[in-house]
Amino acid sequence: MSKIVFGVDIGGTTVKLGVFKVDGTLMDKWEIPTRTADGGKYIFTDIADSILKKIAALGYTKEDCAGVGVGAPGPVDSNGIIYGAINLGWGDVNLYEKFTELLGMPVKAGNDANVAALGEMWQGGGQGYTDIVAVTLGTGIGGGVIIGGKLVTGSNGAGGEIGHIPVEENETETCGCGKTGCAEQYGSATGVVRLAKRRLALDNKPSTLRKADRLSAKMVWDAVKAGDEVAIDVAKQFGYYVGKMTAAIACVTNPQAFVVGGGVSKAGEVLFEYIRPEFERMVFKPCKNVDFKLATLGNDAGIYGAAKLVLGE
Amino acid sequence: MSKIVFGVDIGGTTVKLGVFKVDGTLMDKWEIPTRTADGGKYIFTDIADSILKKIAALGYTKEDCAGVGVGAPGPVDSNGIIYGAINLGWGDVNLYEKFTELLGMPVKAGNDANVAALGEMWQGGGQGYTDIVAVTLGTGIGGGVIIGGKLVTGSNGAGGEIGHIPVEENETETCGCGKTGCAEQYGSATGVVRLAKRRLALDNKPSTLRKADRLSAKMVWDAVKAGDEVAIDVAKQFGYYVGKMTAAIACVTNPQAFVVGGGVSKAGEVLFEYIRPEFERMVFKPCKNVDFKLATLGNDAGIYGAAKLVLGE
């Protein structure tokens, strides 16, 4: 019987790895650098080597291991094929085949934001729910839709790309995706900074934010908590756009809860004071009864979710 | 072994019933009036009587029957509880219990728009797909989300309420749901008429639509096909709002296809000439590869889908 399982979260700079007992207890976690040279081909062997060494170091064999789950930054379909991961240098790759060949163990793979959602449902802020949407407010906005305990991968592996729901028709700046008016242009960490800069440029109203050399989302939310009126204007705009995004989602899948993570979520429950009223104003009434919860696993959500992929959703 | 299965679609005026072979062949369909008097209590007995009589008339017994599926106009959760159906006079009712008691056969139930989506996937415009979103452009806009062949019921039975996705911030008129700026205020049959009236009031540009005593969505689309420039303006607005709605949906579940039905869909493929460009402009690129298909079962989608609920999604 399997005793341990591995979760791997591949990022553009580092690969996070974790080894878990099959009951979900994290035994150990560590990082290795992401070597993107030569089309990212070393990433596969680096990860495999690291896992095989860890199994030996812990005194286990492959037979003790339920398998390896992998989260990767790109659309991953239900056959384990990732359709390009620009940050890693990868084109289209079958992750199941690639890692199974190197590891000789069962492998599962998914999109990193989707996998993190699964982690939060298993051991984080989404525990006890079966139908959640994870909302990751980081550099961009990622998401993961879980229905009946299972990830919605989507027909091209692009399920849960909620950061690109259109929420503003009059935007002139372009989103990283090439469109304009995407939710992530307002609700992400960079979005909050953008909103703050725009607000500051409007007038000369005093604000602690004017003293910052380099504005950050954290500064904005700290100022909100301190009662800074300009920062509160920014928070209201943030709430409007994230409220509209979550309202649209709720009209599609009618989830039990939104689990909000990513760097911006470090501001805490104050986010929901601005999101919730706008969400309630814009959502269909029978879908209004939704919990807003903070994610709790931080940067470990990916390794938890990747491990859970192997153990079965 | 079961030979037949019943599908029931309860509407505010009539109840549609169908009896199918278990392979999906429609053997017979008929209608009975919906008696909404006395809190709608006769609806249950009328339906049960009609089914039991039909079984006898066809020379079958209850043992030959796989069961009865029911679609009803309200949110129905996964336990078969409908949370109010105003048009029928019902409060909260457990449809499984109510009909099982009267029929002595297995019963399944779902929201009417969701059930119609299942019907279209089984025997209609969605055949061959496993991940579709049905978009019903009728008096309002209904919807049904199907992922991996299964209906997304939602945590309060309100999955697929896509007509209430917010798409216009500057709307002043109120939607039937109490909000403003819902997709169904523009994309439904009544929405198309509203858009046409607004466009006609803008200026005095000649249009065949000015001659109509009572505008209808059909008149607008007929005029579009005839090249009427005012009607084409209306079609562009329709395409903008339905395009935005479908783009938002695709960023959440990344479906293979949208299957478009309801009265407005009788206009045919011309709808997609106006929806598709706006959809493509506003959707996240990896979700762009979606088919737009016309529903083919018309008013029978509900009885097909209700029967399929019993046979297993």
Side-chain angles (χ1 to χ4, degrees):
Chain A
M1 217 182 84
S2 298
K3 293 166 187 165
I4 58 170
V5 59
F6 286 83
V8 180
D9 183 13
I10 310 177
T13 315
T14 59
V15 178
K16 296 183 184 68
L17 300 101
V19 56
F20 298 82
K21 292 185 189 167
V22 291
D23 68 2
T25 312
L26 179 64
M27 297 165 68
D28 192 13
K29 62 174 181 172
W30 68 101
E31 294 184 6
I32 60 176
T34 306
R35 286 202 288 158
T36 54
D38 297 339
K41 67 179 183 179
Y42 307 113
I43 298 172
F44 302 104
T45 44
D46 287 352
I47 290 171
D49 287 351
S50 187
I51 287 172
L52 296 173
K53 272 184 203 151
K54 181 62 70 175
I55 293 174
L58 291 170
Y60 288 112
T61 66
K62 281 186 193 181
E63 285 64 42
D64 296 314
C65 186
V68 177
V70 178
V76 180
D77 74 11
S78 52
N79 298 314
I81 298 168
I82 185 163
Y83 294 99
I86 302 157
N87 294 340
L88 307 182
W90 292 354
D92 296 356
V93 183
N94 188 319
L95 297 173
Y96 289 178
E97 285 179 8
K98 203 85 189 177
F99 281 108
T100 305
E101 194 182 300
L102 290 165
L103 287 162
M105 289 187 283
V107 172
K108 292 278 178 182
N111 167 267
D112 53 0
N114 285 358
V115 165
L118 194 61
E120 287 291 344
M121 196 186 66
W122 186 36
Q123 297 287 334
Q127 280 182 80
Y129 299 105
T130 55
D131 291 28
I132 67 166
V133 176
V135 178
T136 307
L137 307 174
T139 312
I141 296 185
V145 179
I146 297 178
I147 293 172
K150 288 186 176 297
L151 269 173
V152 175
T153 307
S155 61
N156 306 307
E161 288 287 0
I162 58 175
H164 302 283
I165 291 175
V167 294
E168 175 55 78
E169 197 50 39
N170 301 311
E171 182 60 51
T172 51
E173 289 178 45
T174 307
C175 178
C177 79
K179 300 197 298 154
T180 55
C182 296
E184 88 170 28
Q185 290 186 278
Y186 314 97
S188 65
T190 44
V192 170
V193 170
R194 240 166 47 87
L195 287 175
K197 284 182 180 164
R198 283 185 178 179
R199 173 62 192 83
L200 288 167
L202 270 187
D203 57 28
N204 290 313
K205 192 164 181 175
S207 167
T208 55
L209 298 179
R210 296 196 188 278
K211 291 160 201 152
D213 280 343
R214 200 155 159 256
L215 267 179
S216 69
K218 182 179 186 312
M219 282 177 206
V220 173
W221 288 104
D222 285 346
V224 170
K225 290 174 197 170
D228 185 292
E229 287 181 24
V230 170
I232 288 170
D233 286 348
V234 175
K236 284 178 182 166
Q237 283 203 287
F238 165 90
Y240 165 68
Y241 290 114
V242 178
K244 191 190 277 192
M245 176 187 81
T246 47
I249 298 166
C251 291
V252 181
T253 70
N254 181 210
Q256 298 165 309
F258 288 103
V259 179
V260 180
V264 175
S265 75
K266 289 180 187 160
E269 299 274 344
V270 66
L271 297 179
F272 304 148
E273 292 172 28
Y274 293 91
I275 298 172
R276 179 115 219 166
E278 295 286 5
F279 167 79
E280 292 192 351
R281 181 172 72 79
M282 289 184 268
V283 77
F284 186 52
K285 282 201 194 80
C287 306
K288 196 185 275 186
N289 181 24
V290 180
D291 296 330
F292 280 84
K293 308 284 276 188
L294 290 169
T296 61
L297 298 177
N299 291 331
D300 292 344
I303 55 172
Y304 274 93
K308 181 61 176 158
L309 271 185
V310 176
L311 297 174
E313 295 165 62
Chain B
M1 217 183 84
S2 299
K3 294 167 186 162
I4 58 170
V5 58
F6 285 83
V8 181
D9 183 12
I10 310 177
T13 315
T14 59
V15 178
K16 296 182 183 68
L17 300 102
V19 56
F20 298 82
K21 292 185 189 166
V22 292
D23 68 2
T25 312
L26 180 62
M27 298 165 67
D28 192 13
K29 62 173 180 171
W30 67 102
E31 294 184 5
I32 60 175
T34 306
R35 286 201 288 158
T36 54
D38 297 338
K41 68 179 182 179
Y42 307 113
I43 299 172
F44 303 105
T45 44
D46 288 352
I47 291 171
D49 287 350
S50 187
I51 288 172
L52 296 173
K53 271 184 205 150
K54 181 62 69 174
I55 294 175
L58 292 170
Y60 287 112
T61 66
K62 282 186 192 181
E63 286 62 42
D64 296 313
C65 184
V68 177
V70 178
V76 180
D77 74 11
S78 52
N79 298 313
I81 297 168
I82 185 163
Y83 294 100
I86 302 157
N87 294 341
L88 307 183
W90 292 353
D92 297 357
V93 184
N94 188 320
L95 297 173
Y96 290 177
E97 285 179 9
K98 203 84 189 176
F99 281 109
T100 305
E101 194 183 298
L102 290 165
L103 287 162
M105 288 188 283
V107 172
K108 292 277 180 184
N111 167 266
D112 52 1
N114 285 358
V115 165
L118 195 61
E120 287 291 344
M121 196 184 67
W122 187 35
Q123 297 287 335
Q127 280 183 81
Y129 298 106
T130 55
D131 291 28
I132 67 165
V133 176
V135 177
T136 307
L137 308 175
T139 312
I141 296 184
V145 179
I146 297 178
I147 293 173
K150 287 184 177 296
L151 269 173
V152 175
T153 306
S155 62
N156 306 308
E161 288 287 1
I162 59 175
H164 302 283
I165 291 176
V167 294
E168 176 54 78
E169 197 49 39
N170 300 312
E171 182 59 52
T172 52
E173 288 178 46
T174 307
C175 178
C177 79
K179 299 198 297 154
T180 55
C182 295
E184 86 170 28
Q185 291 186 277
Y186 314 96
S188 64
T190 44
V192 170
V193 170
R194 239 166 48 87
L195 287 175
K197 285 183 179 164
R198 283 186 178 180
R199 173 62 193 83
L200 288 168
L202 270 188
D203 57 29
N204 290 314
K205 192 164 182 174
S207 167
T208 55
L209 299 180
R210 295 195 190 280
K211 291 161 202 152
D213 280 344
R214 195 152 165 260
L215 267 178
S216 69
K218 182 178 186 311
M219 283 177 206
V220 173
W221 287 105
D222 285 346
V224 170
K225 290 175 197 168
D228 185 291
E229 287 181 26
V230 169
I232 288 170
D233 285 348
V234 175
K236 284 179 182 167
Q237 283 203 289
F238 165 90
Y240 165 69
Y241 289 114
V242 178
K244 191 190 276 193
M245 176 188 81
T246 47
I249 298 166
C251 291
V252 181
T253 70
N254 181 209
Q256 298 164 310
F258 288 103
V259 179
V260 180
V264 175
S265 74
K266 289 181 186 159
E269 300 274 343
V270 66
L271 297 179
F272 303 148
E273 292 173 28
Y274 293 91
I275 298 172
R276 179 116 218 166
E278 295 286 5
F279 168 78
E280 292 192 351
R281 181 172 72 78
M282 289 184 268
V283 77
F284 187 53
K285 282 201 194 81
C287 306
K288 196 184 277 186
N289 181 24
V290 180
D291 296 331
F292 280 84
K293 308 284 274 188
L294 290 169
T296 61
L297 299 177
N299 291 330
D300 292 344
I303 56 171
Y304 274 94
K308 181 62 175 157
L309 270 185
V310 176
L311 298 174
E313 297 164 62

